[in-house]
Amino acid sequence: MVMDASVPPDEAGGLLTIDLAALRANYQEIARRVGPAETAGVVKGDGYGLGLAPVASALWDAGARSFFVALPGEARTLRETLPEATIYVLNGLFEGSPPLYRALRLHPVLGSEAEIARWNGFCVEIGQSLPAAVHVDTGMNRLGLSATEAVSLAEMRHELHFPIALIMSHLASADEPHHPLTARQLEDFRAIAGLFPDVKASLANSAGVMSGPAYHFDLVRPGIAVYGGRPRADMAPLSPVVRLELRIVQIRHVHAGETVGYGGAHTALRPSRVAILSAGYADGIPRRAGASDLRPGAEAVIAGQRCPLIGRISMDLLAVDVTDVPDDAIAAGDWAVLLGDGLGLDDLARHSQTIDYEILTSLGRRYRRLWT
Ligand SMILES: *Cc1c(COP(=O)(O)O)cnc(C)c1O
């Protein structure tokens, strides 16, 4: 068990527990499903908000040897944690950064002809042939060479002064089952990967992993599924990894007809008891997670019972309707569960009009964190 010493127990409004055993089990479940393809660890965004170093170490222990981060700064931290890992940096190759990539043995994921020229020029300049990945766009229209540029690259490959370690693309809509774009991307990527027959190929994120063996190629890049999020709209998540408990600061009475919180967005329809919890949008709880008079909100588990969040979430506080919890079952100082005890990431995400990814990566810095 690792404890974050930065927030002492009596000073935190919330306790965030990160179950690294569940994380390792989720990784191994995916690795088993896709074998013999390799399963990489995707640890961008501070390990999806759960701590780059502890998450990366756990994935390494579970068998991951290749890792993806977004930025060279993240790669620097990751290299300190995992001296032996293969590290890919997704957001390309910023001007001036090649020496850092060389010093830390990072693989840039080159996503434009300009970046390929930059890496190639650097390799010529230092007289070393340093491996890089090449990203090809097949429908995301975000990063990557066009199909035409990929064909030219394949034709002039013998002129490159570096080896291509990986050819990859990214799925845009695989989380929606049977979205026509997904099959089209697969077909296009297969053709492009075929131009580089001796290079390892990679297409699948979590949703791609779940879309079947045709999507696996040589290496898969699952993120959200490993962190306990829902990989596809029609599939259950693997094991939950995060548990979030919030301190109850006080319990108050509200008369029927009175409103709760900023803007008076929620009206009590009956005499109510309301628990005020010590976390808010500054801790990553979406401002829209509470019920208004127009729509339902997310829930918390208090004394074993599901209770609705009501009114707009404040910066540091939120309100929960605990009218149906017996009076003697709760008191100020108790803890409410916002994630865990059957409440998943997608429960909170759905009621806040967002996605599991955003909930995870927004989890605040003020919680006391515990990695078990
Ligand atoms: C974030 C990311 C992944 C992981 O995606 P999930 O949907 O979290 O599985 C894979 N590949 C690329 C290029 C990414 O940016």
Side-chain angles (χ1 to χ4, degrees):
M1 188 190 299
V2 185
M3 204 149 335
D4 179 1
S6 62
V7 190
D10 292 337
E11 298 179 17
L15 174 64
L16 182 70
T17 311
I18 297 147
D19 185 346
L20 294 176
L23 184 89
R24 288 193 299 268
N26 289 346
Y27 170 87
Q28 282 164 342
E29 170 61 21
I30 291 174
R32 188 188 62 73
R33 286 191 203 181
V34 307
E38 180 185 354
T39 300
V42 182
V43 294
K44 62 191 183 183
D46 194 31
Y48 282 45
L50 303 185
L52 177 56
V55 160
S57 300
L59 293 176
W60 176 272
D61 291 344
R65 293 296 175 265
S66 298
F67 289 80
F68 287 83
V69 292
L71 297 165
E74 294 179 317
R76 188 194 290 279
T77 310
L78 182 56
R79 179 54 81 212
E80 283 167 20
T81 308
L82 299 179
E84 305 297 328
T86 300
I87 301 177
Y88 293 95
V89 184
L90 288 166
N91 281 16
L93 185 65
F94 302 161
E95 204 177 343
S97 65
L100 176 73
Y101 281 71
R102 175 204 194 186
L104 297 179
R105 293 166 285 121
L106 311 177
H107 290 25
V109 177
L110 306 172
S112 68
E113 290 187 326
E115 288 178 355
I116 290 173
R118 181 172 296 148
W119 190 247
N120 198 56
F122 178 67
C123 289
V124 170
E125 191 185 306
I126 63 169
Q128 282 181 33
S129 184
L130 305 175
V134 170
H135 194 156
V136 180
D137 185 67
T138 52
M140 182 81 178
N141 278 307
R142 191 173 66 175
L143 296 175
L145 301 183
S146 68
T148 320
E149 289 169 336
V151 170
S152 326
L153 180 70
E155 283 165 1
M156 51 78 68
R157 217 180 122 194
H158 55 279
E159 295 168 32
L160 289 178
H161 292 271
F162 66 90
I164 301 176
L166 185 74
I167 185 106
M168 61 170 270
S169 190
H170 190 49
L171 296 166
S173 306
D175 55 320
E176 292 175 48
H178 316 300
H179 193 295
L181 180 57
T182 309
R184 224 258 298 124
Q185 285 193 272
L186 172 62
E187 204 177 300
D188 291 356
F189 183 65
R190 205 184 265 134
I192 286 159
L195 302 173
F196 302 83
D198 54 329
V199 177
K200 280 195 298 179
S202 175
L203 177 64
N205 60 349
S206 299
V209 164
M210 304 299 170
S211 300
Y215 289 85
H216 297 167
F217 292 88
D218 301 302
L219 178 145
V220 298
R221 314 184 304 268
I224 195 71
V226 176
Y227 297 97
R230 194 181 283 277
R232 237 171 69 156
D234 60 339
M235 283 179 187
L238 301 177
S239 301
V241 172
V242 289
R243 177 177 177 83
L244 177 59
E245 294 158 278
L246 305 178
R247 195 186 283 277
I248 299 174
V249 183
Q250 58 169 261
I251 296 164
R252 45 195 308 127
H253 293 269
V254 176
H255 296 296
E258 288 186 328
T259 63
V260 175
Y262 285 118
H266 174 85
T267 311
L269 297 178
R270 54 177 181 173
S272 304
R273 268 161 56 249
V274 174
I276 306 299
L277 274 44
S278 187
Y281 63 75
D283 303 291
I285 314 286
R287 190 161 164 275
R288 279 136 67 96
S292 73
D293 294 341
L294 303 175
R295 51 174 194 79
E299 292 175 312
V301 172
I302 298 179
Q305 217 162 303
R306 285 201 178 194
C307 307
L309 272 57
I310 51 172
R312 281 183 204 149
I313 307 298
S314 302
M315 184 187 291
D316 319 296
L317 295 164
L318 62 87
V320 179
D321 184 341
V322 293
T323 314
D324 294 332
V325 178
D327 226 340
D328 56 357
I330 53 166
D334 289 353
W335 293 79
V337 178
L338 205 67
L339 293 171
D341 288 354
L343 290 175
L345 287 168
D346 58 321
D347 291 306
L348 183 54
R350 196 162 20 91
H351 286 110
S352 316
Q353 286 99 56
T354 183
I355 52 174
D356 300 12
Y357 302 73
E358 195 176 33
I359 298 290
L360 278 176
T361 55
S362 304
L363 288 167
R365 304 288 130 191
R366 297 195 293 187
Y367 300 131
R368 180 171 172 77
R369 289 178 173 228
L370 197 64
W371 288 268
T372 62

